[in-house]
């Protein structure tokens, strides 16, 4: 027996669908509080010392957290090539803006304190704000468009043709999901600052985080109702060979009805939105009552629930086509080969535990609050 036959093709496809979700959720949980902290920077910190405190809560960890984004992009490229081709071409300008924000952010970290000029430092502070708020908004808008369906089709030779425009991505539902994304990550950033700072910064973070959390909860509820009542769902019409070739055109897809039919077919997935609401509500409660570590954990649970609810609701679809439903990409027909998925899984089983152990060690070493005394006493070694 060939080694990779030990795990069936259909199971490998599901495993990599789950792993892609894990990478995206890991990115939202870790780099999410970095982005939320950046978006809060001009508002929770009023003096230069206060802003240095805020920056130094994320300065030592943001690079490691951003690795989850790189891993997610790499997983899409290697495990789901058609998804990579359609999303990175159709969302090209949006992705360019995200990458520009991610390029500006490290430059701002490195250059902000190189000169004492208030104008110089203020400019880089707003660059950090943009580096946090802009990607958070665009990621949310992207999720809204995926739920709505993306205007593309596949030629008989499986070449993707994107038929939309950048401005077409800014539809009302996508803008709502963008607001949910931004507010949720601002709440997450506030939960992080609540844990890592004290005094006035902590107080302001709690206040802004409470408002953002309320917006996230209300927005998530409205988006769910909107999706149930006004957004067409997608469904497979014919029986699909789950271990067949990666050719989306072999599937017949219908557009209509509601995405909520998934909850009738798989009632257990209701656990995801329940976690989303419960996590955000408890994080909101923690921000108002003064809880610290538990508030951040509840915020992470909320992110887990919100992000996983999208994937579980759409399964087996990973990128529906709004203009040609039969070109929609699913878990069963848009993956790499059996051997490729197996080799990637072996590499993941080796390296993922090492990444998690190293990340845990870093956070344990950096445990504790960042104070104004810290940045004043270590001016040359901190951001």
């Amino acid at each position: 027996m060939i080694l990779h036959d030990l795990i069936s093709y259909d199971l490998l496809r599901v495993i990599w669908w789950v792993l892609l979700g894990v990478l995206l959720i890991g990115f939202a949980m870790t780099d999410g509080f970095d982005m939320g902290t950046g978006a809060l920077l001009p508002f929770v910190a009023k003096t230069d010392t206060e802003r240095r405190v805020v920056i130094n809560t994320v300065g030592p960890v943001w690079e490691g957290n951003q690795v989850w984004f790189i891993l997610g992009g790499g997983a899409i490229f290697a495990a789901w090539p058609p998804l990579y081709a359609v999303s990175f071409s159709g969302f090209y300008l949006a992705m360019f803006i995200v990458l520009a924000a991610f390029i500006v952010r490290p430059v701002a970290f490195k250059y902000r304190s190189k000169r004492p000029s208030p104008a110089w430092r203020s400019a880089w502070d707003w660059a950090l704000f943009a580096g946090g708020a802009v990607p958070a908004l665009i990621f949310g808008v992207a999720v809204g468009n995926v739920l709505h369906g993306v205007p593309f089709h596949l030629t008989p030779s499986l070449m993707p043709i994107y038929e939309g425009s950048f401005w077409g991505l800014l539809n009302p539902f996508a803008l709502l999901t963008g607001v949910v994304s931004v507010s949720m990550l601002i709440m997450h950033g506030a939960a992080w600052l609540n844990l890592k700072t004290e005094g006035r910064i902590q107080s302001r973070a709690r206040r802004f985080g409470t408002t953002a959390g309320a917006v996230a909860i209300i927005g998530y509820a409205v988006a769910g109702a909107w999706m149930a009542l006004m957004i067409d769902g997608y469904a497979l019409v014919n029986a699909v060979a789950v271990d067949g070739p990666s050719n989306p055109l072999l599937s017949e897809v219908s557009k209509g009805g509601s995405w909520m039919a998934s909850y009738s077919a798989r009632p257990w997935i209701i656990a995801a939105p329940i976690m989303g609401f419960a996590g955000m509500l408890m994080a909101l409660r923690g921000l108002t009552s003064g809880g610290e570590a538990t508030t951040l954990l509840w915020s992470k649970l909320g992110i887990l629930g919100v992000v996983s609810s999208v994937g579980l609701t759409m399964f087996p679809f990973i990128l529906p086509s709004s203009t040609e439903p039969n070109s929609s990409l699913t878990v069963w027909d848009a993956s790499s080969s059996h051997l490729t998925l197996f080799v990637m899984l072996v590499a993941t089983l080796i390296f993922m535990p090492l990444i998690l152990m190293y990340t845990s060690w870093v956070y344990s070493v950096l445990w504790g609050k960042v104070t104004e005394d810290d940045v004043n006493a270590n001016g040359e070694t901190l951001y």
Side-chain angles (χ1 to χ4, degrees), residues 104-335:
V104 167
R105 183 168 65 162
V107 176
F109 276 121
K110 300 299 183 184
Y111 279 84
R112 181 196 183 274
S113 296
K114 296 297 184 183
R115 292 177 59 188
S117 166
W120 170 272
R121 294 189 173 190
S122 178
W124 289 118
D125 289 339
W126 284 105
L128 288 170
F129 165 81
V134 171
L137 175 65
I138 291 179
F139 290 141
V141 168
V143 169
N145 278 280
V146 169
L147 286 166
H148 218 299
V150 177
F152 76 95
H153 70 273
L154 300 176
T155 67
S157 60
L158 300 184
M159 183 176 73
I161 305 295
Y162 182 74
E163 300 168 350
S165 66
F166 172 78
W167 300 111
L169 300 175
L170 304 179
N171 59 78
F173 179 73
L175 290 175
L176 173 61
T177 55
V179 169
V180 173
S181 175
V182 171
S183 56
M184 181 176 68
L185 294 186
I186 287 177
M187 179 192 69
H188 197 42
W192 174 254
L193 290 175
N194 179 50
L195 175 67
K196 295 291 289 182
T197 65
E198 59 188 19
R200 290 168 296 183
I201 299 173
Q202 185 187 56
S203 177
R204 295 182 194 123
R206 287 175 178 170
R207 185 170 68 252
F208 282 105
T210 300
T211 302
V215 172
I217 293 168
I218 294 170
Y220 184 51
V222 172
W226 191 334
M227 186 176 67
L229 300 174
M230 301 176 64
I231 304 296
D232 288 334
Y234 292 77
L236 290 168
V237 175
N238 60 332
V240 178
V242 296
D243 59 350
S246 287
N247 185 346
L249 297 180
L250 297 178
S251 302
E252 184 179 352
V253 177
S254 66
K255 178 183 178 182
S258 171
W259 280 118
M260 295 304 168
S262 301
Y263 291 87
S264 298
R266 303 185 300 277
W268 60 271
I269 67 175
I270 192 66
I274 289 175
M275 284 193 299
F277 280 116
M280 289 191 291
L281 283 168
M282 292 301 293
L284 195 62
R285 180 177 180 272
L287 287 169
T288 55
S289 65
E292 294 187 353
T294 54
T295 300
L296 183 64
L297 293 176
W298 282 118
S299 181
K300 289 179 181 291
L301 180 68
I303 290 173
L304 170 63
V306 170
V307 178
S308 62
S309 68
V310 176
L312 291 171
T313 299
M314 292 180 59
F315 184 86
F317 292 91
I318 51 179
L319 191 65
S321 170
S322 60
T323 54
E324 181 53 57
N326 287 343
S327 292
S328 298
L329 307 181
T330 75
V331 171
W332 311 124
D333 55 28
S335 72

Side-chain angles (χ1 to χ4, degrees), residues 18-32:
V18 172
L19 285 175
L20 178 59
V22 169
L23 292 173
L24 296 178
I25 291 169
F27 170 65
M29 285 183 174
T30 55
D31 207 40

